[in-house]
Amino acid sequence: MKKIFIAGHRGMVGSALVRSAEARGGFEVLTATRDRLDLCDQASTFTYLAEEKPDIVVIAAAKVGGIHANSSYPADFIYENLVIAANLVEGSRQAGVGRVLFLGSTCIYPKLAPQPMPEDCLLTSPLEPTNEAYAIAKIAGLKLCQHYRAQHGLMYHSAMPTNLYGPGDNYHPENSHVIPALIRRFHEAKESGLGEVAIWGTGTPRREFLHVDDLAAACFHLLDLNDPPDWVNVGVGDDLPIMELAKLVAETVGFNGKIVTDPTKPDGTPRKLVDVSKIRATGWEPKVDFRDGLAGAYQDFLATLQTGAARL
């Protein structure tokens, strides 16, 4: 049985990885809450890895947020994500961990990257300014794994998921991503009897969405490969305009009012469709239907509201 440390197990991605590991079997899952292990503390992180000696480390821990959070707190985003990546990668090397999978984001690619975005467009032109700090930290984590693999012969590699959604998401009104933000906004409008909901921006940018359980499946697929790419995109290979997304979420929630745009708010990157040919060539593809995934995400939101566990 392999010992796998899932850093960030309380987040949406980390909890999906835990569910997947437990469902698959064959793993002793190691987790640590922040009161026991602060991943920004180098000494504590190195000590934990040396004592637990996992066979695999999956780095799902990160400071994350939407456009507002990224543009309001760039120093926090770059510092915390740089330190988490550096501590876990070097700590893993020192502890003799043979396999590390670092999870980044497709926001690492240039703002005006070719569509769909291939892995080799990384660092070819400027980033989207609203999430530059987060993207730079994630690029650094990817490059750490790439260079540790080259210099030390360690199987350290990365996966770059597209926009994620699903159970365990963050529904904060300002710091959440677009799907949970829309779920909460439409739900509260329905409950309050409002006739209109405004969405950020023009509604024209296109986005791709991957269910978090599909990402977890992709991660374990990559961990099974003997020679995975240094980094690989994980997505569905299709996207839709934000306005169309808003209509689907409103339908899922049962909001029947008017949807209007707020062009005074930023749109972010015009399009972020990823080229998924590389991971599909290894035999993986997503399974969760988008409408089914949205319905499940809304049911999870309602369930966590009832239990008081919703991340609001």
Side-chain angles (χ1 to χ4, degrees):
M1 182 172 287
K2 291 184 177 180
K3 295 173 72 173
I4 183 169
F5 173 47
I6 298 174
H9 74 285
R10 284 186 163 178
M12 177 175 67
V13 174
S15 58
L17 288 164
V18 171
R19 288 195 303 272
S20 186
E22 292 175 343
R24 289 165 184 271
F27 293 102
E28 178 187 346
V29 179
L30 304 176
T31 60
T33 55
R34 182 168 291 190
D35 57 356
R36 182 187 173 193
L37 174 59
D38 179 0
L39 295 173
C40 288
D41 184 312
Q42 185 186 78
S44 297
T45 303
F46 284 15
T47 298
Y48 176 85
L49 292 168
E51 290 176 349
E52 296 292 344
K53 297 189 181 304
D55 301 294
I56 302 167
V57 169
V58 181
I59 305 175
K63 181 176 181 63
V64 298
I67 292 175
H68 174 81
N70 273 276
S71 57
S72 299
Y73 314 110
D76 295 348
F77 276 87
I78 194 167
Y79 173 76
E80 290 189 32
N81 288 300
L82 279 171
V83 172
I84 288 169
N87 287 347
L88 284 169
V89 171
E90 173 61 12
S92 294
R93 184 194 69 81
Q94 291 190 19
V97 177
R99 189 108 187 197
V100 170
L101 177 61
F102 174 76
L103 295 181
S105 165
T106 54
C107 74
I108 65 168
Y109 296 122
K111 177 177 181 176
L112 300 178
Q115 299 292 324
M117 300 181 289
E119 286 85 353
D120 62 8
C121 75
L122 182 67
L123 298 176
T124 56
S125 62
L127 299 164
E128 159 60 39
T130 57
N131 61 13
E132 180 189 76
Y134 177 78
I136 287 173
K138 286 300 181 180
I139 292 169
L142 175 159
K143 288 295 182 179
L144 273 170
C145 290
Q146 180 185 22
H147 294 309
Y148 272 58
R149 182 176 181 176
Q151 180 175 330
H152 300 295
L154 297 165
M155 190 53 71
Y156 291 7
H157 54 111
S158 304
M160 300 295 124
T162 189
N163 302 284
L164 299 170
Y165 74 101
D169 216 332
N170 178 0
Y171 297 94
H172 190 280
E174 293 181 339
N175 297 339
S176 60
H177 289 110
V178 61
I179 285 182
L182 290 174
I183 286 175
R184 177 173 180 173
R185 202 172 305 164
F186 285 124
H187 172 78
E188 291 179 346
K190 182 182 75 169
E191 294 296 296
S192 302
L194 297 180
E196 182 178 289
V197 167
I199 62 171
W200 273 36
T202 63
T204 58
R206 301 181 68 90
R207 290 292 181 270
E208 174 183 20
F209 297 97
L210 178 72
H211 195 278
V212 70
D213 288 341
D214 275 334
L215 171 61
C219 289
F220 283 97
H221 171 80
L222 290 170
L223 289 170
D224 285 338
L225 297 179
N226 291 326
D227 187 24
D230 281 329
W231 72 93
V232 64
N233 294 333
V234 185
V236 297
D238 194 14
D239 61 4
L240 75 167
I242 292 297
M243 178 55 80
E244 185 177 332
L245 169 69
K247 291 176 180 177
L248 286 173
V249 174
E251 178 185 326
T252 300
V253 170
F255 173 76
N256 298 313
K258 185 179 180 182
I259 303 172
V260 298
T261 60
D262 181 1
T264 66
K265 297 291 195 299
D267 271 336
T269 306
R271 196 178 191 195
K272 283 178 60 179
L273 180 65
V274 295
D275 184 340
V276 293
S277 56
K278 185 174 285 189
I279 192 168
R280 291 215 173 187
T282 70
W284 177 86
E285 61 181 26
K287 304 293 185 187
V288 180
D289 174 80
F290 189 48
R291 286 180 178 270
D292 292 342
L294 284 179
Y298 182 50
Q299 291 307 310
D300 177 74
F301 172 72
L302 294 176
T304 56
L305 277 182
Q306 290 181 340
T307 61
R311 297 165 65 198
L312 302 174

